[in-house]
Amino acid sequence: KILMLLRTGEKSVNQIAAALFMSNSSAAEHLSILHAGNLVTKRRDGNRVYYRTSFLEFDGFISTLLDNANPET
């Protein structure tokens, strides 16, 4: 769900947590795992951390994968 959300662009941990109805700490933990796997990149802006998918080709791959895995969208 996080990768699907990041298809639309960079998001802060707070934005991701709110959109997915989860705590900030839970979102940060999931994002940490995605970051360790090089699936997302992060940048800091003051106290906020923003995440996005790692590269453009991956965005296309994820879009195709998620669209096929979830035909309801």
Side-chain angles (χ1 to χ4, degrees):
K1 291 182 180 182
I2 290 174
L3 291 174
M4 186 154 41
L5 182 63
L6 292 176
R7 286 172 33 182
T8 61
E10 182 179 76
K11 305 272 186 292
S12 70
V13 174
N14 294 346
Q15 291 171 314
I16 293 166
L20 298 178
F21 304 102
M22 59 190 338
S23 69
N24 286 354
S25 62
S26 180
E29 185 175 335
H30 287 282
L31 287 160
S32 176
I33 293 167
L34 292 171
H35 185 258
N38 295 317
L39 298 175
V40 298
T41 60
K42 66 180 179 179
R43 73 172 178 89
R44 288 194 177 274
D45 185 11
N47 291 339
R48 294 193 187 262
V49 179
Y50 292 88
Y51 287 86
R52 63 182 177 141
T53 55
S54 293
F55 48 90
L56 294 176
E57 293 85 5
F58 183 71
D59 290 342
F61 170 75
I62 287 297
S63 293
T64 301
L65 181 66
L66 292 174
D67 288 344
N68 290 324
N70 190 3
E72 298 174 287
T73 58

